[in-house]
Amino acid sequence: MLVRRLLIIGVGSSANIHLLYSISQKTPDILFNNEILLIETSRHSLAIAINKLYEVYKSAYKRLPITANREELLKPHEFKQKLITTHSILLAEEGGAANPERGLSYYGQKANEVMDKISNIFLQNDLSGVVIIGSAGKGTGTLITPYLVKDLWDTLGIEILGFITLPFRTHKTEVDNTKLLIDHLTDRGMTPSKVPLFLLDYEKGIDIYLHQAKKSREKRVGEPRVGEIYKIVVSPLASTIATIVEALNFGEVCSPPMDWSDLSILFENMRGVGTIVYGAYGREEDMMESWKEDLTAQRFLQTKSTPETTNAITIIKSGTSVTVRFLDELSEYYSKSLNAKRHTIYVLERGNGIFITSLVFGFDARTIVPPIAVRKLSFWQRLAKI
């Protein structure tokens, strides 16, 4: 089976150590089928990220049957060495110190080096596109992520999807840094229509968890642990991004076939930012019972009002085919609920269960809700609503 390989770039410790690691845990094949590049401003954080990805790769490699295909893959120690020597960029030694403008200045000093390395990796490995993953709130990912997306889009003309998470509205410093990101995206001269960036709000992740808990009438015993909170949010995010990468890797077996250039419809005549909408189901019966309710509740970004117009692409990853009638209903839903003027649906028959992932573009980042401000209720108190 032909695999269209991508370059997946992680920017900063939060993205590399948590989100990219979680994506690779859920779908280890992503490490086999794509090139990985880590960008960091902290040597210590880079080492942690490399070791975590190495452990996932090693574990997955050991489970593979001994075939000619496995012999073509890098051995685990070779994968790790590649990340250390050629597939990582260290912009500074001690991190961004929770100061995004300092992190951006580190990037600015080495921007040519970064562009050259990405271009070389892209061309030498005959890659089809680039996926960039960052996290706002701290010193590295907050501003480097959008400017890296913009620079690659403008300078190298490489096909790109950029994803950046927005933090919980808990700590003032992270909230202020996120305001700075929004400021750069909207008022600092970045052309929104040329920044294919999708915002994924951790606060909405909590709302999604509450929605799922209400559906299942789940009762919590005791207070949740800190690590559990991040898993609650990161897990569905990792699943959605993994589905997008898989569909791009195996676009030829999608129905209809999917090519990276097909993503360009998302940005035609559009301004603003995008987000992800998703639904996950064990059986088709479960999906048909609640998919409209779920896709309304499970959006990783919300604005004060529905955008006047959006463009959307939906990927349905399913172990079995879905009906044409359902696809028609799905198109009508997006047309009415999010004013989607263009909406293309691809079905990837792969894996178990049914996973719906939609990329929707056209939101105004200046009107995000909940607002980018410290919240009165902590997420512990919000989880207590269950």
Side-chain angles (χ1 to χ4, degrees), residues 145-192:
T145 305
Y147 278 94
L148 178 61
V149 170
K150 185 177 188 301
D151 288 349
L152 285 173
W153 184 275
D154 290 344
T155 306
L156 300 184
I158 292 174
E159 302 286 355
I160 297 174
L161 285 178
F163 300 96
I164 187 164
T165 63
L166 307 184
F168 295 116
R169 317 290 199 268
T170 306
H171 302 293
K172 185 177 185 302
T173 299
E174 293 187 354
V175 167
D176 289 344
N177 288 342
T178 304
K179 288 180 180 178
L180 187 62
L181 165 67
I182 303 303
D183 183 32
H184 276 259
L185 287 176
T186 56
D187 298 323
R188 295 281 187 104
M190 293 187 78
T191 307

Side-chain angles (χ1 to χ4, degrees), residues 284-334:
E284 186 175 6
E285 294 86 347
D286 300 329
M287 179 185 73
M288 296 309 297
E289 183 178 324
S290 64
W291 68 268
K292 289 184 181 178
E293 176 188 357
D294 294 338
L295 296 186
T296 300
Q298 297 181 168
R299 300 172 182 176
F300 275 104
L301 190 74
Q302 183 176 343
T303 51
K304 290 179 181 178
S305 59
T306 303
E308 291 184 5
T309 181
T310 64
N311 290 332
I313 285 178
T314 295
I315 298 160
I316 302 176
K317 179 184 172 186
S318 173
T320 58
S321 185
V322 294
T323 66
V324 173
R325 179 180 176 181
F326 172 69
L327 300 189
D328 289 340
E329 291 177 354
L330 188 62
S331 290
E332 183 180 6
Y333 166 81
Y334 275 108

Side-chain angles (χ1 to χ4, degrees), residues 64-327:
L64 292 174
I66 300 176
T67 63
N69 287 340
R70 192 180 92 157
E71 293 304 309
E72 293 176 0
L73 298 173
L74 293 176
K75 292 181 171 53
H77 72 276
E78 294 172 332
F79 172 78
K80 182 177 182 179
Q81 190 62 24
K82 188 176 186 179
L83 288 179
I84 293 172
T85 56
T86 63
H87 280 52
S88 59
I89 300 174
L90 190 62
L91 300 176
E93 294 284 339
E94 303 298 330
N99 184 333
E101 291 182 322
R102 179 183 296 182
L104 185 60
S105 72
Y106 293 150
Y107 168 69
Q109 293 166 18
K110 296 188 177 182
N112 290 338
E113 176 186 332
V114 173
M115 291 295 110
D116 287 346
K117 173 156 283 194
I118 291 173
S119 179
N120 289 337
I121 293 174
F122 193 87
L123 295 174
Q124 290 171 6
N125 294 279
D126 192 25
L127 304 180
S128 297
V130 178
V131 174
I132 299 176
I133 301 168
S135 295
K138 296 187 178 178
T140 303
T142 302
L143 292 182
I144 292 178
T145 305
Y147 278 94
L148 178 61
V149 170
K150 185 177 188 301
D151 288 349
L152 285 173
W153 184 275
D154 290 344
T155 306
L156 300 184
I158 292 174
E159 302 286 355
I160 297 174
L161 285 178
F163 300 96
I164 187 164
T165 63
L166 307 184
F168 295 116
R169 317 290 199 268
T170 306
H171 302 293
K172 185 177 185 302
T173 299
E174 293 187 354
V175 167
D176 289 344
N177 288 342
T178 304
K179 288 180 180 178
L180 187 62
L181 165 67
I182 303 303
D183 183 32
H184 276 259
L185 287 176
T186 56
D187 298 323
R188 295 281 187 104
M190 293 187 78
T191 307
S193 60
K194 292 193 176 181
V195 184
L197 193 63
F198 293 77
L199 307 189
L200 310 172
D201 192 349
Y202 276 8
E203 287 285 341
K204 292 304 298 176
I206 290 293
D207 291 339
I208 290 168
Y209 173 71
L210 293 173
H211 168 72
Q212 289 292 336
K214 182 179 179 182
K215 277 179 58 178
S216 64
R217 294 179 173 81
E218 177 181 328
K219 299 298 180 183
R220 178 173 297 285
V221 179
E223 291 188 359
R225 303 293 180 180
V226 172
E228 184 181 356
I229 293 293
Y230 287 94
K231 288 179 183 178
I232 284 169
V233 176
V234 170
S235 180
L237 274 179
S239 296
T240 56
I241 295 175
T243 298
I244 293 164
V245 171
E246 278 191 284
L248 290 168
N249 283 153
F250 300 103
E252 288 203 348
V253 297
C254 285
S255 300
M258 180 182 182
D259 188 76
W260 188 281
S261 61
D262 295 329
L263 299 180
S264 62
I265 72 148
L266 286 166
F267 316 112
E268 287 181 5
N269 303 314
M270 298 301 298
R271 299 179 68 84
V273 296
T275 196
I276 290 176
V277 181
Y278 89 101
Y281 310 92
R283 305 174 306 163
E284 186 175 6
E285 294 86 347
D286 300 329
M287 179 185 73
M288 296 309 297
E289 183 178 324
S290 64
W291 68 268
K292 289 184 181 178
E293 176 188 357
D294 294 338
L295 296 186
T296 300
Q298 297 181 168
R299 300 172 182 176
F300 275 104
L301 190 74
Q302 183 176 343
T303 51
K304 290 179 181 178
S305 59
T306 303
E308 291 184 5
T309 181
T310 64
N311 290 332
I313 285 178
T314 295
I315 298 160
I316 302 176
K317 179 184 172 186
S318 173
T320 58
S321 185
V322 294
T323 66
V324 173
R325 179 180 176 181
F326 172 69
L327 300 189

